[in-house]
Amino acid sequence: MSELRAAAETAVRQCLALESSESCAIVTDDNREPIGNVLYEVASEVTDDAVIVRYPPGETHGSEPPAPVAAAMAGADVVLAPTTKSLSHTRARTEANEAGARVATLPGITEDVFTTGLDADYESIAAHCDDVLEQVADADQVRVTTPAGTDIAFGIGDREWLADTGIVHESGVMSNLPAGEVFVSPETATGTFVVDGTMRPHGLLEDGHQLTFEVEDGLVTHISDDEIRGTVEGAAEDVGDAAYNLAELGIGTNVAVTELVGSVLLDEKAAGTVHIAIGDNAGIGGETEAPIHLDGILREPTVYADDAEVKLPRAE
């Protein structure tokens, strides 16, 4: 409990900077109750206007929470959401931000990831985000290659690069915790990407296990893995091609993450990695709504912004 308590102190006091005059909603589910409880405990010591809301785990990442949960989120100044299934790409999270809430989602968080990922200097992580943003912000095209066989080009168009720094001090701002990435929802993409790090439902991939995806004009046209293909096909029954949307390109900036552990939440933040996602991007600057957002982490990437190699941060 002492380790959970220390991590909760970092989240509430440093990352969210909760003040005594503010309201705070802790949103959790039946599987993440210990983390939700310790966050509520710390928040309650800062403000008298703290609540904890718990509900059954969602069916998929990006599925909407029950209406009373969404209402609690929209009515709070600060929201912390340690949940089994991600609330990051939901209308509930977007509407809470639009109402002025500062939101930190902790999707798929475990106690180990909570304590490990929040044992970090978030001011340093923010500085690494700024450095990467400076290198990519004006690029029309970004290309990623890896030794595993990735070679994919992204057309950025008018989309804005965003930073997930973990410093959530301004009204209407959202971040994951643990944090540390720079990301964009590209307008289009063409090429191949090979996941050799972490991807649901497999977790951390064993040596030699690779997941290959072909992309053309912003849509995934081939998925080598049966389980992931089945998930995408199932979503496509409801939303059509939106399920195949190439949703995100992200660059990890958390130099405190020294190795991949099998948690997408933590591994996508690892400095020196890239992650690419399929599905929904409406919550991160795109225009596609889908009931899935599937991130795959790529090891040892080389990133080019308009042919200039990007200097990536590396784990300490």
Side-chain angles (χ1 to χ4, degrees):
M1 285 301 297
S2 63
E3 292 181 346
L4 288 179
R5 170 77 191 202
E9 292 273 359
T10 298
V12 172
R13 299 181 187 275
Q14 180 187 18
C15 295
L16 276 299
L18 179 65
E19 298 182 1
S20 60
S21 60
E22 294 182 308
S23 59
C24 180
I26 308 298
V27 176
T28 191
D29 61 44
D30 297 340
N31 294 340
R32 299 296 182 262
E33 187 176 1
I35 296 172
N37 284 345
V38 73
L39 286 168
Y40 172 71
E41 178 183 298
V42 173
S44 296
E45 294 170 1
V46 177
T47 176
D48 293 332
D49 195 0
V51 298
I52 183 168
V53 184
R54 195 181 85 199
Y55 68 103
E59 292 184 3
T60 63
H61 296 284
S63 60
E64 295 295 326
V69 175
M73 294 171 68
D77 296 311
V78 171
V79 178
L80 286 128
T83 55
T84 306
K85 301 298 183 181
S86 176
L87 294 180
S88 300
H89 304 276
T90 61
R91 306 292 81 74
R93 193 278 301 168
T94 301
E95 290 170 4
N97 279 145
E98 290 174 347
R102 307 195 301 280
V103 180
T105 58
L106 297 84
I109 193 76
T110 65
E111 293 180 26
D112 286 343
V113 170
F114 185 58
T115 55
T116 300
L118 284 162
D119 182 17
D121 178 358
Y122 278 93
E123 295 295 342
S124 172
I125 290 169
H128 286 296
C129 287
D130 289 342
D131 179 61
V132 173
L133 276 174
E134 185 176 349
Q135 298 179 72
V136 301
D138 295 327
D140 294 319
Q141 179 177 279
V142 173
R143 180 184 173 210
V144 177
T145 65
T146 69
T150 295
D151 192 343
I152 184 170
F154 301 87
I156 306 305
D158 294 329
R159 301 285 171 79
E160 180 182 2
W161 285 88
L162 303 172
D164 181 19
T165 66
I167 303 297
V168 196
H169 294 178
E170 301 295 329
S171 176
V173 172
M174 176 265 183
S175 178
N176 271 159
L177 289 179
E181 66 171 293
V182 170
F183 60 97
V184 69
S185 175
E187 286 192 355
T188 190
T190 296
T192 302
F193 70 96
V194 181
V195 176
D196 57 351
T198 298
M199 190 167 189
R200 300 185 186 98
H202 302 292
L204 184 63
L205 301 180
E206 298 179 355
D207 289 345
H209 186 189
Q210 299 177 345
L211 312 173
T212 301
F213 302 80
E214 302 288 344
V215 183
E216 185 174 349
D217 295 331
L219 294 176
V220 176
T221 58
H222 171 74
I223 300 172
S224 67
D225 183 80
D226 291 341
E227 289 187 74
I228 296 172
R229 185 170 59 254
T231 297
V232 175
E233 289 175 348
E237 293 178 1
D238 294 328
V239 297
D241 282 351
Y244 295 93
N245 178 52
L246 198 292
E248 178 187 4
L249 166 64
I251 300 171
T253 62
N254 191 326
V255 293
V257 181
T258 58
E259 61 180 351
L260 304 187
V261 299
S263 162
V264 169
L265 173 64
L266 186 63
D267 292 353
E268 70 176 2
K269 311 305 190 314
T273 66
V274 156
H275 56 278
I276 297 173
I278 303 168
D280 187 272
N281 62 14
I284 58 171
E287 300 175 349
T288 299
E289 296 188 8
I292 56 171
H293 182 88
L294 304 176
D295 291 281
I297 290 90
L298 285 59
R299 300 177 185 265
E300 302 180 53
T302 302
V303 180
Y304 302 92
D306 286 341
D307 298 324
E309 184 173 343
V310 177
K311 184 179 180 181
L312 302 179
R314 300 294 175 181
E316 296 176 341

